[in-house]
Amino acid sequence: MKTTTLRLHPVPSLSALFTGAVGRILKYGGLPFVSGSGGGRRPVIATSASAVAAVAGAAAPFTTSTPSWLKAWQMPPRPKLPEDELEEVYLKGSGPGGQKINKTNSAVQLRHIPTNIVIKCQETRSRTQNRKLAREILAAKVDLFLNGDKSRLAIVGNVKKKKADSKAKKARRKYKKLEEERAKGGVGQQQLVEGAEGAEGGEVEGEDEGEELEGYEEEEVQEGKEAEKGEKAEKRGGNNADGGRH
Amino acid sequence: MPRIKPQLFWQGRKKLGLNAAKLLPVCRTLESTANELRWIKQHVAETPSIIPFGARVWKLCDRRGKGLPLAYVLGNQPFGDLEIKCQPGVLIPRTETESYTIHLSNILRHSLSSSKSESDPDQHQPLNIIDLCTGTGCIPLLLYSQLSRSLPLQSLNIVGVDISQKAINLSRQNLHHNLHAHRFPRPSSPRDKSHPQRLLHFHKADIFSPTSLDPILSTPSSSSTSSSSSSSSSSSTGTGEWDLLTSNPPYISPSGFALSTSRSVRNWEPKLALVPPVERVDLHQKHFYDHWYYPDNEILLQTVEYQEEDVFYARLLEIARTYRPKRVLMEVGDMEQAKRVVGMVLGDGKLRGLYFGNGEVTRGGNERGAGAGAVQIWRDDLVGFEGYEEIMEVGVGVDGQKQIIVVKGHPEGHGRSVYLRRVGVVDDV
């Protein structure tokens, strides 16, 4: 549990994430979370009083930080904000409106009053739909702002990052081995297949091999650099992973 | 209209591809170009066809680039949680209409669920709603969708009326289209005696011709009155009353049509749904004199002098006067028109009595007692801005009696609709 005090201007580690968020409008071309409506319980992030208290500097506990009833494989529930903490920003349309014009603008702008985070959503043509999406996105943003590493966005991001990392690692190991075998000179593929990585390798055709190897060498270099950045990068990556556009 | 900078075309082409150049003259900004292009691509991706993706997108962008409204290009427009089909010849539903319709359904839901819990357990009494000048049928369909979900035990009887056969056909299509998508439960057939009897019908009628409209208006629940007419209690509890009359009539003056409408509206949307035909004005004024001018109602003489774009409101208020619906909602063009319509209500002694009360109720102060009527003007975008309210006082008659009009919605919004609530009806929001 993080006990850092949260101020209106967040501490540096968090502000790295939120330089664009506080007091400015974040525009969403894509959505972080669309699939499904989220099963099970949807605990409210914080009541009005506790959110204000948190912003004011009191270290209040937040309910979404990995509750004990979660199974190891379960993600924290999707956050939801209470309606009285939200304020819809009025977007003035140009000109007369009604029957006289036929605007396609369905944007919805939403402000979370305690944290002053503002987002604008014009993802769909339906304002009703945009209103729902804006609430989901804002809830995720506020969750990330208040709970940092313990937020759903960060946890889901971390899990995805880990999966992607381990996949990359496996692939790297495999092709390294492949390359070594090749270097030894003309050792049959069958031996390779029986090697560490098992079934997937069997599909590699002899002709394609060269190209794939080259491709992988390039990637390896990049990944090497990333590895140097170490743990910090992983944390940051985890946080960023789902925050932005997809 | 200012020229679009060539730079913007270059940027658009670089960021969004060649299609952007087609859309930019219509959309005017890169942001809305990007949005519309995305929606067009989504639409193409969702509807299967043998024509290649790129070619279809190009064609739709081309049509949109010629100024055709996006709803006609894609063939539909979201309205609340429904998808309303649109065809040239029928007015496209507007977001403002969506906003007040949702607000209205919330009012109905709250007032009904509270009155149910208090005293009246009789839910067989259907909620009678009529929408005149229905167009695509968007208002009746959205009310049906919202009410059947929020009041699952409530019987409904919703009727849409329009003069154009094309609109009636389209509104029936829309009913089936949303039914197939499981957006709301199937309306029950009139013979069906299952408990929440939900009816939804569309009729072709000219609202200015009493012969075609009166049969629809005089029997709010044609099926349920005939079935329950045997029981004497139904007449005493007031079966045969309209609970709500809504309308989004043509309200633009001919000069306003030429000057203040956007090009896509002027060139592509039906004038029938936008501008009241001039001949109606003369015809209706004559009708007004013939039927309405009684010696006991001198004030009526003033109301006859209305502007030509207000002719539909004169007729709608005449209908309200005769059939006394509990609530009336009429869309208007702007605040000025809203005030004119309120003036028409105030100018007519009977309507004022019905919807304002006789003034005695207001003597106690600004707070109006339960059961007093209400005349409200709603601004754009009510949903999300429910907290905003202004109070307007208007003096009426020789003794300068003050009447209160509540103006709801964000102060920057345009006046969008006039809401009347009959004396004795309570809104619980």
Side-chain angles (χ1 to χ4, degrees):
Chain A
M1 180 83 217
K2 207 178 180 100
T3 52
T4 334
T5 54
L6 292 168
R7 276 161 248 129
L8 257 176
H9 301 288
V11 287
S13 64
L14 280 173
S15 71
L17 297 167
F18 268 90
T19 40
V22 179
R24 277 177 55 196
I25 303 165
L26 293 172
K27 287 182 184 170
Y28 279 85
L31 5 152
F33 296 119
V34 240
S35 57
S37 58
R41 302 180 240 183
R42 286 176 157 217
V44 160
I45 287 191
T47 57
S48 159
S50 66
V52 173
V55 173
F62 299 113
T63 49
T64 40
S65 51
T66 38
S68 54
W69 47 266
L70 277 180
K71 303 275 191 312
W73 44 267
Q74 271 180 323
M75 291 293 137
R78 276 164 217 279
K80 202 183 174 188
L81 294 168
E83 204 56 32
D84 57 345
E85 284 184 10
L86 300 177
E87 181 195 59
E88 219 163 299
V89 183
Y90 187 76
L91 297 170
K92 196 177 188 309
S94 60
Q99 289 176 358
K100 287 183 181 172
I101 62 162
N102 182 3
K103 60 177 177 217
T104 48
N105 183 16
S106 57
V108 170
Q109 200 166 313
L110 209 60
R111 190 169 82 94
H112 183 242
I113 300 164
T115 55
N116 205 23
I117 296 175
V118 182
I119 64 145
K120 186 177 181 181
C121 178
Q122 45 187 336
E123 174 61 26
T124 69
R125 287 164 70 207
S126 155
R127 181 164 292 177
T128 312
Q129 195 66 27
N130 281 347
R131 196 165 272 133
K132 280 178 199 162
L133 284 173
R135 275 166 179 72
E136 274 176 36
I137 294 167
L138 187 62
K141 280 284 154 196
V142 171
D143 181 30
L144 182 61
F145 178 66
L146 294 177
N147 298 323
D149 290 344
K150 302 278 199 307
S151 67
R152 179 186 157 91
L153 215 56
I155 292 171
V156 172
N158 267 333
V159 169
K160 277 188 184 166
K161 179 84 168 60
K162 267 183 194 166
K163 274 184 187 165
D165 280 353
S166 93
K167 203 175 174 186
K169 203 174 171 188
K170 274 182 186 172
R172 200 159 57 229
R173 204 187 292 154
K174 173 177 134 192
Y175 283 104
K176 216 168 196 173
K177 192 147 194 174
L178 203 70
E179 198 187 8
E180 276 168 15
E181 300 291 349
R182 234 184 133 86
K184 279 182 189 173
V187 186
Q189 284 173 21
Q190 284 181 345
Q191 266 185 325
L192 263 177
V193 174
E194 285 159 16
E197 295 313 316
E200 295 157 24
E203 288 159 27
V204 180
E205 293 272 341
E207 286 172 280
D208 296 339
E209 232 176 314
E211 288 172 27
E212 279 202 31
L213 277 173
E214 276 172 28
Y216 251 96
E217 270 177 355
E218 280 175 22
E219 265 195 44
E220 222 172 292
V221 174
Q222 283 178 358
E223 283 189 4
K225 280 180 192 168
E226 249 177 54
E228 284 171 15
K229 290 176 190 168
E231 291 297 304
K232 281 181 204 165
E234 198 174 315
K235 267 186 190 170
R236 198 152 44 81
N239 288 335
N240 279 339
D242 274 4
R245 334 146 184 242
H246 278 264
Chain B
M1 210 187 277
R3 191 176 80 119
I4 302 172
K5 286 182 181 169
Q7 179 194 4
L8 215 56
F9 281 93
W10 284 108
Q11 282 177 7
R13 174 153 182 211
K14 204 172 170 188
K15 282 182 189 163
L16 306 166
L18 268 177
N19 288 314
K22 287 256 179 218
L23 294 176
L24 202 54
V26 178
C27 301
R28 317 284 312 170
T29 62
L30 270 187
E31 195 186 8
S32 76
T33 304
N35 281 332
E36 293 204 9
L37 188 59
R38 192 176 69 242
W39 295 329
I40 288 173
K41 281 181 177 168
Q42 269 172 14
H43 171 83
V44 172
E46 281 162 15
T47 47
S49 165
I50 41 166
I51 305 165
F53 180 86
R56 288 176 72 203
V57 172
W58 177 252
K59 184 154 186 224
L60 293 185
C61 287
D62 193 41
R63 293 178 69 196
R64 174 72 184 126
K66 283 175 181 152
L68 200 71
L70 189 67
Y72 288 156
V73 173
L74 304 183
N76 62 51
Q77 169 76 26
F79 192 75
D81 41 14
L82 305 181
E83 191 181 87
I84 300 289
K85 284 190 172 186
C86 295
Q87 284 170 3
V90 186
L91 191 82
I92 299 165
R94 306 291 201 262
T95 45
E96 290 92 350
T97 311
E98 173 186 332
S99 184
Y100 70 69
T101 308
I102 293 174
H103 188 70
L104 195 60
S105 78
N106 287 339
I107 288 182
L108 285 177
R109 185 186 67 201
H110 286 296
S111 58
L112 275 170
S113 54
S114 67
S115 73
K116 283 288 135 55
S117 60
E118 277 168 22
S119 56
D120 184 23
D122 182 22
Q123 285 175 329
H124 290 277
Q125 198 79 267
L127 192 65
N128 296 313
I129 298 172
I130 187 158
D131 180 46
L132 303 176
C133 310
T134 195
T136 50
C138 54
I139 299 178
L141 289 166
L142 187 57
L143 284 175
Y144 181 86
S145 153
Q146 300 264 325
L147 293 173
S148 59
R149 190 180 315 149
S150 58
L151 301 166
L153 295 173
Q154 176 67 45
S155 293
L156 300 171
N157 174 37
I158 303 181
V159 181
V161 177
D162 203 286
I163 192 173
S164 134
Q165 187 61 48
K166 204 168 188 179
I168 292 300
N169 292 343
L170 188 62
S171 55
R172 286 180 185 150
Q173 264 187 49
N174 273 321
L175 169 62
H176 292 289
H177 178 68
N178 285 293
L179 212 55
H180 283 302
H182 303 287
R183 292 201 177 90
F184 47 64
R186 181 172 287 279
S188 40
S189 72
R191 285 176 199 166
D192 194 7
K193 288 278 157 58
S194 62
H195 170 44
Q197 196 188 33
R198 302 197 188 98
L199 303 172
L200 179 54
H201 291 294
F202 294 99
H203 299 291
K204 179 179 184 293
D206 179 358
I207 71 162
F208 283 91
S209 126
T211 45
S212 72
L213 192 65
D214 282 353
I216 302 169
L217 276 167
S218 55
T219 53
S221 43
S222 50
S223 58
S224 60
T225 38
S226 62
S227 64
S228 64
S229 59
S230 54
S231 61
S232 58
S233 65
S234 63
S235 58
S236 61
T237 49
T239 311
E241 258 193 333
W242 290 103
D243 292 280
L244 175 64
L245 167 78
T246 58
S247 183
N248 180 9
Y251 54 67
I252 304 175
S253 64
S255 64
F257 181 74
L259 295 174
S260 62
T261 52
S262 77
R263 196 172 294 173
S264 73
V265 174
R266 201 160 56 238
N267 293 346
W268 299 96
E269 293 203 81
K271 206 174 171 183
L272 177 72
L274 298 166
V275 185
V278 181
E279 64 269 19
R280 288 260 177 253
V281 181
D282 304 333
L283 195 96
H284 188 251
Q285 282 193 348
K286 187 176 175 298
H287 180 74
F288 231 66
Y289 275 119
D290 289 351
H291 294 260
W292 271 35
Y293 186 55
Y294 302 108
D296 63 314
N297 204 354
E298 297 92 37
I299 299 171
L300 194 61
L301 211 67
Q302 299 165 5
T303 64
V304 180
E305 292 157 14
Y306 44 77
Q307 299 185 16
E308 50 193 329
E309 65 263 36
D310 297 341
V311 62
F312 272 77
Y313 300 112
R315 174 61 184 154
L316 288 168
L317 289 176
E318 188 188 11
I319 292 168
R321 201 171 183 272
T322 320
Y323 292 97
R324 301 156 43 96
K326 286 182 182 169
R327 296 176 178 86
V328 180
L329 187 84
M330 295 172 286
E331 181 169 327
V332 292
D334 50 27
M335 203 38 119
E336 291 310 307
Q337 194 166 34
K339 285 177 185 167
R340 288 203 300 272
V341 174
V342 170
M344 287 161 100
V345 178
L346 284 173
D348 183 305
K350 195 178 173 194
L351 279 175
R352 194 173 67 210
L354 271 177
Y355 294 105
F356 268 106
N358 292 319
E360 279 100 33
V361 203
T362 58
R363 291 275 155 81
N366 272 351
E367 288 296 316
R368 311 208 65 181
V375 174
Q376 300 176 352
I377 297 174
W378 293 357
R379 293 181 190 266
D380 280 344
D381 293 325
L382 275 165
V383 179
F385 303 97
E386 284 89 352
Y388 294 92
E389 228 176 68
E390 291 167 44
I391 285 173
M392 205 195 276
E393 280 197 350
V394 279
V396 186
V398 251
D399 54 341
Q401 202 181 74
K402 291 281 181 199
Q403 296 285 5
I404 294 167
I405 298 167
V406 179
V407 183
K408 287 187 170 185
H410 196 279
E412 278 174 58
H414 300 286
R416 187 53 58 215
S417 51
V418 174
Y419 173 70
L420 310 175
R421 192 182 68 217
R422 209 177 72 191
V423 174
V425 180
V426 187
D427 283 348
D428 221 22
V429 177

mmCIF file of all heavy atoms in Angstrom, chain B residues 78-96:
data_model
loop_
_atom_site.group_PDB
_atom_site.id
_atom_site.type_symbol
_atom_site.label_atom_id
_atom_site.label_comp_id
_atom_site.label_asym_id
_atom_site.label_seq_id
_atom_site.Cartn_x
_atom_site.Cartn_y
_atom_site.Cartn_z
ATOM 1 N N PRO B 78 -27.709 7.108 -34.624
ATOM 2 C CA PRO B 78 -27.994 6.649 -33.260
ATOM 3 C C PRO B 78 -28.921 7.640 -32.562
ATOM 4 O O PRO B 78 -28.785 8.846 -32.756
ATOM 5 C CB PRO B 78 -26.627 6.626 -32.578
ATOM 6 C CG PRO B 78 -25.643 7.062 -33.564
ATOM 7 C CD PRO B 78 -26.322 7.565 -34.765
ATOM 8 N N PHE B 79 -29.838 7.119 -31.787
ATOM 9 C CA PHE B 79 -30.783 7.984 -31.077
ATOM 10 C C PHE B 79 -31.034 7.339 -29.725
ATOM 11 O O PHE B 79 -31.712 6.317 -29.648
ATOM 12 C CB PHE B 79 -32.075 8.106 -31.886
ATOM 13 C CG PHE B 79 -33.011 9.174 -31.404
ATOM 14 C CD1 PHE B 79 -32.735 10.516 -31.646
ATOM 15 C CD2 PHE B 79 -34.161 8.853 -30.714
ATOM 16 C CE1 PHE B 79 -33.605 11.503 -31.205
ATOM 17 C CE2 PHE B 79 -35.027 9.836 -30.267
ATOM 18 C CZ PHE B 79 -34.743 11.157 -30.518
ATOM 19 N N GLY B 80 -30.445 7.910 -28.680
ATOM 20 C CA GLY B 80 -30.490 7.234 -27.388
ATOM 21 C C GLY B 80 -29.749 5.925 -27.537
ATOM 22 O O GLY B 80 -28.671 5.876 -28.108
ATOM 23 N N ASP B 81 -30.341 4.827 -27.080
ATOM 24 C CA ASP B 81 -29.675 3.544 -27.298
ATOM 25 C C ASP B 81 -30.247 2.818 -28.512
ATOM 26 O O ASP B 81 -30.012 1.631 -28.695
ATOM 27 C CB ASP B 81 -29.745 2.669 -26.039
ATOM 28 C CG ASP B 81 -31.091 2.762 -25.371
ATOM 29 O OD1 ASP B 81 -32.023 3.267 -26.021
ATOM 30 O OD2 ASP B 81 -31.219 2.336 -24.210
ATOM 31 N N LEU B 82 -30.993 3.539 -29.337
ATOM 32 C CA LEU B 82 -31.552 2.923 -30.530
ATOM 33 C C LEU B 82 -30.736 3.299 -31.763
ATOM 34 O O LEU B 82 -29.928 4.219 -31.733
ATOM 35 C CB LEU B 82 -32.987 3.405 -30.740
ATOM 36 C CG LEU B 82 -33.969 3.218 -29.602
ATOM 37 C CD1 LEU B 82 -35.327 3.734 -30.014
ATOM 38 C CD2 LEU B 82 -34.064 1.753 -29.210
ATOM 39 N N GLU B 83 -30.979 2.547 -32.824
ATOM 40 C CA GLU B 83 -30.415 2.936 -34.104
ATOM 41 C C GLU B 83 -31.583 3.229 -35.027
ATOM 42 O O GLU B 83 -32.403 2.346 -35.296
ATOM 43 C CB GLU B 83 -29.553 1.810 -34.667
ATOM 44 C CG GLU B 83 -28.733 2.236 -35.843
ATOM 45 C CD GLU B 83 -27.908 1.088 -36.385
ATOM 46 O OE1 GLU B 83 -28.441 0.342 -37.222
ATOM 47 O OE2 GLU B 83 -26.763 0.920 -35.965
ATOM 48 N N ILE B 84 -31.669 4.477 -35.475
ATOM 49 C CA ILE B 84 -32.803 4.896 -36.293
ATOM 50 C C ILE B 84 -32.354 4.943 -37.748
ATOM 51 O O ILE B 84 -31.359 5.583 -38.078
ATOM 52 C CB ILE B 84 -33.296 6.291 -35.846
ATOM 53 C CG1 ILE B 84 -33.739 6.271 -34.377
ATOM 54 C CG2 ILE B 84 -34.399 6.795 -36.741
ATOM 55 C CD1 ILE B 84 -35.009 5.540 -34.117
ATOM 56 N N LYS B 85 -33.111 4.236 -38.602
ATOM 57 C CA LYS B 85 -32.790 4.270 -40.030
ATOM 58 C C LYS B 85 -33.211 5.599 -40.623
ATOM 59 O O LYS B 85 -34.254 6.150 -40.253
ATOM 60 C CB LYS B 85 -33.548 3.156 -40.745
ATOM 61 C CG LYS B 85 -32.965 1.788 -40.544
ATOM 62 C CD LYS B 85 -33.653 0.838 -41.488
ATOM 63 C CE LYS B 85 -32.999 -0.518 -41.484
ATOM 64 N NZ LYS B 85 -33.583 -1.379 -42.507
ATOM 65 N N CYS B 86 -32.417 6.090 -41.533
ATOM 66 C CA CYS B 86 -32.709 7.378 -42.151
ATOM 67 C C CYS B 86 -32.722 7.237 -43.663
ATOM 68 O O CYS B 86 -31.902 6.524 -44.233
ATOM 69 C CB CYS B 86 -31.656 8.402 -41.770
ATOM 70 S SG CYS B 86 -31.636 8.774 -40.043
ATOM 71 N N GLN B 87 -33.675 7.917 -44.294
ATOM 72 C CA GLN B 87 -33.727 7.933 -45.749
ATOM 73 C C GLN B 87 -33.966 9.359 -46.197
ATOM 74 O O GLN B 87 -34.660 10.108 -45.492
ATOM 75 C CB GLN B 87 -34.910 7.093 -46.248
ATOM 76 C CG GLN B 87 -34.707 5.621 -46.187
ATOM 77 C CD GLN B 87 -35.986 4.874 -46.470
ATOM 78 O OE1 GLN B 87 -37.016 5.480 -46.775
ATOM 79 N NE2 GLN B 87 -35.919 3.564 -46.356
ATOM 80 N N PRO B 88 -33.434 9.742 -47.333
ATOM 81 C CA PRO B 88 -33.770 11.067 -47.846
ATOM 82 C C PRO B 88 -35.292 11.199 -47.963
ATOM 83 O O PRO B 88 -35.966 10.253 -48.380
ATOM 84 C CB PRO B 88 -33.114 11.096 -49.228
ATOM 85 C CG PRO B 88 -31.980 10.139 -49.111
ATOM 86 C CD PRO B 88 -32.448 9.059 -48.187
ATOM 87 N N GLY B 89 -35.803 12.331 -47.558
ATOM 88 C CA GLY B 89 -37.254 12.510 -47.571
ATOM 89 C C GLY B 89 -37.854 12.487 -46.182
ATOM 90 O O GLY B 89 -39.009 12.861 -45.999
ATOM 91 N N VAL B 90 -37.072 12.046 -45.206
ATOM 92 C CA VAL B 90 -37.526 12.050 -43.820
ATOM 93 C C VAL B 90 -36.444 12.733 -42.975
ATOM 94 O O VAL B 90 -35.256 12.456 -43.160
ATOM 95 C CB VAL B 90 -37.779 10.618 -43.300
ATOM 96 C CG1 VAL B 90 -38.384 10.657 -41.910
ATOM 97 C CG2 VAL B 90 -38.691 9.868 -44.241
ATOM 98 N N LEU B 91 -36.886 13.610 -42.089
ATOM 99 C CA LEU B 91 -35.934 14.383 -41.287
ATOM 100 C C LEU B 91 -35.073 13.474 -40.412
ATOM 101 O O LEU B 91 -35.568 12.523 -39.817
ATOM 102 C CB LEU B 91 -36.696 15.372 -40.405
ATOM 103 C CG LEU B 91 -35.838 16.429 -39.711
ATOM 104 C CD1 LEU B 91 -35.548 17.579 -40.671
ATOM 105 C CD2 LEU B 91 -36.517 16.960 -38.471
ATOM 106 N N ILE B 92 -33.780 13.810 -40.330
ATOM 107 C CA ILE B 92 -32.851 13.050 -39.482
ATOM 108 C C ILE B 92 -33.078 13.443 -38.022
ATOM 109 O O ILE B 92 -33.185 14.625 -37.719
ATOM 110 C CB ILE B 92 -31.396 13.372 -39.889
ATOM 111 C CG1 ILE B 92 -31.151 12.965 -41.337
ATOM 112 C CG2 ILE B 92 -30.409 12.688 -38.973
ATOM 113 C CD1 ILE B 92 -29.905 13.554 -41.928
ATOM 114 N N PRO B 93 -33.156 12.484 -37.120
ATOM 115 C CA PRO B 93 -33.314 12.840 -35.702
ATOM 116 C C PRO B 93 -32.100 13.599 -35.195
ATOM 117 O O PRO B 93 -30.967 13.262 -35.514
ATOM 118 C CB PRO B 93 -33.423 11.483 -35.001
ATOM 119 C CG PRO B 93 -33.597 10.472 -36.062
ATOM 120 C CD PRO B 93 -33.111 11.046 -37.338
ATOM 121 N N ARG B 94 -32.369 14.623 -34.395
ATOM 122 C CA ARG B 94 -31.304 15.470 -33.876
ATOM 123 C C ARG B 94 -30.942 15.073 -32.450
ATOM 124 O O ARG B 94 -31.767 14.532 -31.714
ATOM 125 C CB ARG B 94 -31.739 16.937 -33.875
ATOM 126 C CG ARG B 94 -32.223 17.467 -35.206
ATOM 127 C CD ARG B 94 -31.060 17.560 -36.169
ATOM 128 N NE ARG B 94 -31.313 18.498 -37.269
ATOM 129 C CZ ARG B 94 -31.726 18.169 -38.472
ATOM 130 N NH1 ARG B 94 -31.992 16.908 -38.761
ATOM 131 N NH2 ARG B 94 -31.894 19.083 -39.403
ATOM 132 N N THR B 95 -29.702 15.429 -32.072
ATOM 133 C CA THR B 95 -29.284 15.096 -30.700
ATOM 134 C C THR B 95 -30.098 15.873 -29.657
ATOM 135 O O THR B 95 -30.287 15.406 -28.550
ATOM 136 C CB THR B 95 -27.802 15.410 -30.487
ATOM 137 O OG1 THR B 95 -27.535 16.690 -31.047
ATOM 138 C CG2 THR B 95 -26.916 14.399 -31.126
ATOM 139 N N GLU B 96 -30.549 17.075 -30.013
ATOM 140 C CA GLU B 96 -31.350 17.861 -29.070
ATOM 141 C C GLU B 96 -32.651 17.134 -28.750
ATOM 142 O O GLU B 96 -33.096 17.097 -27.600
ATOM 143 C CB GLU B 96 -31.671 19.236 -29.657
ATOM 144 C CG GLU B 96 -30.490 20.175 -29.762
ATOM 145 C CD GLU B 96 -29.798 20.082 -31.110
ATOM 146 O OE1 GLU B 96 -30.127 19.161 -31.888
ATOM 147 O OE2 GLU B 96 -28.914 20.911 -31.386
#
